[in-house]
Amino acid sequence: MSHPLIKKVAIVGGTHGNEITGVFLVRKYEQYPNLIRRDSFEILTLLANPKAIEEGRRYIDADLNRCFKAQDLQNPKLINYEQLLAKQLAFTIGQSKINLIIDLHSTTSNMGLTVILHNNHPYLLGLAAYLSTINPLVKVLQYPPNQDHSYLRSLCELGFAIEVGPVAQGTLNAELFLQTEALISSILDFIELCNQAITPEIPKTFTLYQQVKAVDYPRDELQQIRAMIYPQLQFKDYEILHTGDPLFLGFDGEVIDYQGESSIFPIFINEAAYYEKHIAMSLAIKQEVTL
């Protein structure tokens, strides 16, 4: 299998200003660049949303990680802080001739170490298979491919996110920090091997979770939340959910069950940042992918 030659990689932290695992990793790499130095490619480190980082907020005017649709980047009428910042970041990524983006995120959900893809590029699938083989803690999640995604990672074909949790907004979890750092080192090693035409040991199949839909909290006629995540479902991301299993517990004591026709895997359960997006969790199917 031939691999594209990767000449420049961007490691991005602080796309969301209160997800500080990525912020402090980028700062560490800028202080100790030898940690990420490799012979066959250059690395650009970026703190994506400096103002939000300074204020300890997810964003100032709008979610930066929803500002990168191609038509939005071309729209001169979109001029709030994050919309302008997205245009600036897109220019920087383009001018720097970035081949691969690693966008670092954290979540209040129990997502462990998750690699998030948005396309089926063989290079990214091979990398995901490699990472999930050398570290059994790694999960691979794919959002529906071939859509016009609005994420920073979609600025280049070989872009993906690392999502780690659970960690509270605005805080560091040392164990997750170290696991993320080790994961990044493994990614850079994979790129180095492929650039040197050394094929890493990649299994023929690996497990991938395909996101299929988002689920909102039950709401009343005034659109107020009327139920919360069922207690035994909290922190059960990636654990199978069967038809009839409890999803929500109403404030009136009502238990609201999962009514889907087939078993499914909940992810991003009770993510704090998704309350405003009307998302209680997403649902994914589990697949075995053959390379």
Side-chain angles (χ1 to χ4, degrees), residues 14-15 47-55 58-64 67 78-89:
T15 301
L47 290 175
N49 197 334
K51 199 171 177 182
I53 292 168
E54 185 181 341
E55 296 192 18
R58 182 176 174 88
Y59 57 80
I60 303 301
D61 293 328
D63 188 334
L64 177 60
C67 291
L78 300 181
I79 55 170
N80 74 29
Y81 171 72
E82 272 84 9
Q83 288 164 344
L84 291 174
L85 184 57
K87 295 172 184 180
Q88 179 187 327
L89 287 164

Side-chain angles (χ1 to χ4, degrees), residues 2 11 20 22 25 102-103 123 207 216 244 269 271 278:
S2 61
I11 300 177
I20 63 175
L25 271 169
I102 307 169
D103 190 19
Y123 189 89
T207 300
D216 191 9
I269 298 170
E271 161 59 48
H278 286 215

Side-chain angles (χ1 to χ4, degrees), residues 99 104 109 156 164 172 180 191 243 268:
N99 303 120
L104 304 176
S109 303
C156 83
V164 300
L172 289 168
T180 307
I191 297 168
T243 303
F268 286 111

Side-chain angles (χ1 to χ4, degrees), residues 126-140:
L127 170 60
Y130 173 79
L131 295 174
S132 57
T133 299
I134 64 171
N135 185 347
L137 296 176
V138 171
K139 300 280 198 304
V140 182

Side-chain angles (χ1 to χ4, degrees), residues 1 3 117 121-132 190 200-203 206 291:
M1 178 172 149
H3 297 287
L117 310 179
H121 195 289
Y123 189 89
L124 292 182
L125 293 177
L127 170 60
Y130 173 79
L131 295 174
S132 57
F190 178 91
E201 286 191 30
I202 300 172
F206 75 101
L291 297 174

